[in-house]
Amino acid sequence: MIEKVQDNKGRGAWSIKWRLTVLYFVSAFGILLISTVILYWVLAKRLVKEDGQFLAAKIGLLREILKEEPNNQDVLREEIEWERAPFRLAKYYARILGPSGNIIIETGKMRSIAPVGIFPKPAGLSEIPSRATRRKSTNGHNLLLMTALAKAGGPNGGIRVLQLALDISHEDELIFDYRKQLVIVLLVGILLSAGIGIFIAGKGLKPVEKMTRTIQHISAHQLHRRLGQSDWPLELNDLAGAFDGMLDRLEDSFNRLSQFSADLAHELRTPINNLIGETEVTLSRERMPGEYREVLESSLEEYSRLSHVIESLLFLARAESPEANVEKKKFDPRKEIEDVIEFYEVMADDKGVKISFAQTSNPDSDFVLNADPTLFRHALSNLVSNALRYTSDGGKVDIGVSRSSTGRVDVWVEDNGIGIEHEHVARIFDRFYRVDSSRSENKSGSGLGLAIVKSIMQLHRGSVSVESEPGKGTKVTLSFPS
Ligand code: ADP
C-alpha cells in the first residue's frame, strides 16, 4: 500500500519516501533494461556477423580450390566435409553445382536439410554476398544460406555454383536461452531495485522522521527543548537552526504572554479590591452625605485609572491586529511638537521643570513626516509625560527633531531626570513593565505607555530607541522611515 500524507488543504500528497523510491526504481529499472537489451543485441549481431564472415571465407576458399585444382576431388571433399570445430555450434554444409545445375559434390545429408531450391540467387564471380539469407529448412532447421558463382580452372573449366549453408538452430537456442536468462535477471533486478529503493529512501529520511518525533514532543510546557544543530545531516542543519530560532521566539513570546496575563490580573485586582474594601467599609454603618461623596470621588479616581488601563490594552490589541491601519499624512512634525509642549506646559510649570523645543541645527530645513498625526501625537505625549514624571524640580525636558541624509526623520525627547538602570532598558517597552514604581512620585503609571509607543512605531514601520544613564537622564528617539 502506498502511503499518502494529507496536506493542509486536504489534498493527498505523495510522501518523499515514495517519490524517492519510485524515482530510484524507475532509474534503476531503466538502466537495467537498456543494458540487457544492448547485451542481447550485441551478442545476436556478433553471431550473425561471424556466421556471415565464415561463409564468405569458405566461398573464397572453394573458389581458390576450383581455380587451382578443379579436378582434385579429395581436396574438394575435404573442404566440403569440413566439420566446424567442436566449440562451434553451427553445422556447415557446402555444395558445388555444375553449369546445368547438376550436383558435382555436396556435404552428406545436405540434400535433406538444405535442398538446392531454397538457396538465393548467386553472387557474381568476383563478388562475395554482402550477407547470408535466413531460411527455415523443410525439417524445421534454421539455416543461413549463401550462394556464389565460381570459375573452375583447367581444360574442363567452366562456371560453378557454390551453395553454402550453416545450420544455426543451436545458435538460436542459445540466443533464446540467453533471452530467458536476461528476462530473469531483469525481474530479479526489478525486485531488488524496488527493495533497495525503499531501503535507501527510508534510511535517507530517518533523520527527518527523528526530527518529526522530536518536534511532536515539544508542547507548550516544553518550549525550552531544542533540536540542536550538531546531530543532523548537513541539509537539515539549517532547518533545525531555523526551528530552534522559532522556538526561541515562541518561548520568549510565551513567557511574555504569561507574564502579561499575570500582570494584567494583578493590575486589575488591586484597584478592584480597593474599591470593594472602601465600599464595604463605607457601608458598614450609616454615613454623612459628605462622607459618601468623598468615597464616590475616590472611587471615580480608581474607575478612571481602570478605564485608562483598559483603553490602553484595547489600543495595543487593535494595533497588533493584522487589520490595523494607519491613516498616514505628510505633515511638519514641528507644529505637532509645539502643540504637545503647550499642552504639557502647565504641568511642567507645576513641577518646576522647563519644557522646550530644542533648536535644530538646520531650523529652516523641511521636516516632512509621513505618519498618522493622531498616533504621532499619542506617542509623543507618552514620552513627554514620562519625561516630566521622572524629572524632578529644576530639571528640563527638550524635544527635538532631525533628519538623516536617507530621509529618515528622528523625533526625540530628552530629560535630565532619574534615568534608567542598564538592565531595565531592554524591558521598559514590555507591557506593564515598570522599573520600580516606588521611584516615581506619581504612582499612576500603568507600565503601558512605552508599549503603546513601540506599537505605534511598528505600525509606521519605524523604530524607537532609548539612551539612558542613571542619575543623568534619558533620551528616547522615534525614528520614522522616509
Ligand atoms: P509608566 O506608565 O509606568 O511610565 P511606561 O511604559 O511609560 O510606563 O514606562 C515604563 C518604565 O520605564 C517606567 O516605569 C519607568 O520606570 C521607565 N521610564 C520611562 N520613561 C522614563 C524616563 N524618561 N526616565 C526614567 N525612567 C523612565
Side-chain angles (χ1 to χ4, degrees):
M1 250 272 290
I2 289 178
E3 278 175 37
K4 285 195 163 192
V5 290
Q6 293 288 317
D7 66 12
N8 53 5
K9 290 187 184 117
R11 276 184 281 122
W14 287 87
S15 73
I16 295 181
K17 184 175 168 186
W18 282 104
R19 275 176 218 221
L20 287 178
T21 306
V22 169
L23 282 178
Y24 179 82
F25 171 73
V26 169
S27 49
F29 177 65
I31 293 169
L32 210 61
L33 186 68
I34 291 170
S35 7
T36 45
V37 166
I38 289 176
L39 280 177
Y40 171 76
W41 184 77
V42 165
L43 179 77
K45 262 265 179 265
R46 190 165 160 198
L47 282 177
V48 169
K49 194 175 162 201
E50 269 191 6
D51 290 343
Q53 282 171 344
F54 171 78
L55 287 176
K58 280 289 171 197
I59 286 175
L61 210 60
L62 284 171
R63 274 179 177 161
E64 195 66 24
I65 295 171
L66 280 172
K67 193 172 145 200
E68 301 296 331
E69 301 174 85
N71 300 317
N72 192 341
Q73 289 291 314
D74 287 344
V75 179
L76 274 176
R77 178 143 307 278
E78 194 185 320
E79 190 53 44
I80 275 171
E81 294 293 350
W82 183 86
E83 283 285 338
R84 294 184 84 182
F87 58 86
R88 292 279 180 193
L89 292 163
K91 190 160 169 31
Y92 157 70
Y93 298 94
R95 168 185 295 134
I96 300 172
L97 297 172
S100 54
N102 56 310
I103 297 170
I104 298 173
I105 190 166
E106 69 176 357
T107 316
K109 294 196 206 142
M110 183 171 177
R111 207 163 302 182
S112 61
I113 291 168
V116 175
I118 64 166
F119 281 83
K121 278 207 349 217
L125 273 176
S126 54
E127 285 176 70
I128 295 279
S130 55
R131 56 194 185 99
T133 310
R134 203 184 162 93
R135 288 272 153 80
K136 213 170 183 76
S137 76
T138 35
N139 50 4
H141 288 233
N142 294 327
L143 301 173
L144 280 182
L145 306 175
M146 251 189 208
T147 318
L149 294 180
K151 198 163 166 24
N156 305 329
I159 299 297
R160 303 278 183 271
V161 177
L162 307 175
Q163 290 189 330
L164 277 75
L166 261 187
D167 183 346
I168 52 163
S169 302
H170 269 80
E171 276 183 11
D172 283 353
E173 271 169 35
L174 172 94
I175 294 255
F176 182 68
D177 276 354
Y178 186 63
R179 208 160 46 206
K180 275 202 302 201
Q181 276 160 10
L182 286 186
V183 170
I184 293 172
V185 167
L186 206 61
L187 286 175
V188 172
I190 289 172
L191 291 178
L192 272 181
S193 58
I196 293 172
I198 294 173
F199 175 74
I200 289 179
K203 193 137 184 75
L205 288 172
K206 268 261 140 52
V208 178
E209 280 171 23
K210 189 177 160 200
M211 189 178 261
T212 311
R213 274 198 305 278
T214 314
I215 292 172
Q216 273 167 347
H217 285 116
I218 300 177
S219 66
H221 303 293
Q222 288 165 319
L223 281 176
H224 60 277
R225 286 185 69 167
R226 294 292 176 271
L227 295 177
Q229 263 177 292
S230 50
D231 293 348
W232 307 107
L234 202 64
E235 293 81 356
L236 291 183
N237 253 346
D238 286 350
L239 181 64
F243 192 81
D244 281 352
M246 188 188 78
L247 281 180
D248 283 343
R249 294 190 295 278
L250 264 182
E251 190 182 17
D252 188 51
S253 304
F254 200 80
N255 287 342
R256 279 169 194 251
L257 206 63
S258 308
Q259 183 63 41
F260 171 67
S261 310
D263 289 346
L264 179 62
H266 179 78
E267 206 61 35
L268 298 179
R269 193 184 59 190
T270 314
I272 286 173
N273 280 348
N274 288 349
L275 285 168
I276 293 172
E278 215 171 353
T279 313
E280 276 174 353
V281 171
T282 314
L283 290 176
S284 61
R285 60 178 171 82
E286 278 300 318
R287 306 267 175 193
M288 300 297 287
E291 283 177 300
Y292 285 122
R293 189 183 176 82
E294 234 172 67
V295 171
L296 283 177
E297 273 170 4
S298 112
S299 300
L300 186 62
E301 227 172 77
E302 285 296 355
Y303 290 135
S304 307
R305 219 178 88 76
L306 273 174
S307 160
H308 177 70
V309 170
I310 289 166
E311 281 298 322
S312 302
L313 285 173
L314 270 177
F315 179 89
L316 284 169
R318 272 199 297 267
E320 273 173 18
S321 92
E323 293 91 44
N325 59 339
V326 281
E327 288 175 15
K328 282 190 186 170
K329 264 206 311 205
K330 291 203 161 120
F331 62 94
D332 188 337
R334 286 174 295 192
K335 170 80 182 63
E336 295 292 334
I337 292 171
E338 273 156 13
D339 286 353
V340 171
I341 290 177
E342 200 181 313
F343 181 82
Y344 280 100
E345 228 154 26
V346 180
M347 196 200 281
D349 280 350
D350 280 355
K351 281 200 74 176
V353 175
K354 187 168 157 25
I355 180 166
S356 54
F357 190 176
Q359 279 305 312
T360 52
S361 49
N362 44 356
D364 298 330
S365 92
D366 279 345
F367 290 105
V368 179
L369 205 61
N370 188 17
D372 183 323
T374 317
L375 294 182
F376 171 69
R377 197 196 279 242
H378 195 151
L380 190 63
S381 302
N382 283 4
L383 297 186
V384 174
S385 104
N386 273 352
L388 287 175
R389 189 180 301 159
Y390 302 108
T391 305
S392 43
D393 198 356
K396 69 179 175 95
V397 174
D398 285 335
I399 306 173
V401 57
S402 62
R403 195 179 58 181
S404 75
S405 53
T406 56
R408 200 190 66 210
V409 177
D410 286 349
V411 177
W412 41 265
V413 178
E414 187 172 15
D415 62 63
N416 61 355
I418 58 173
I420 307 165
E421 300 284 341
H422 183 70
E423 68 262 32
H424 298 294
V425 170
R427 300 207 55 197
I428 55 173
F429 292 99
D430 290 355
R431 293 164 188 196
F432 295 121
Y433 191 80
R434 276 162 288 191
V435 173
D436 175 8
S437 49
S438 62
R439 299 185 320 158
S440 88
E441 307 152 22
N442 180 346
K443 292 183 187 163
S444 65
S446 60
L448 290 171
L450 288 180
I452 288 177
V453 172
K454 187 176 163 196
S455 284
I456 290 174
M457 292 317 290
Q458 278 169 347
L459 282 175
H460 286 87
R461 307 205 182 287
S463 61
V464 51
S465 57
V466 186
E467 296 158 57
S468 187
E469 216 177 306
K472 294 224 164 123
T474 306
K475 180 178 181 181
V476 186
T477 307
L478 308 177
S479 284
F480 289 88
S482 54

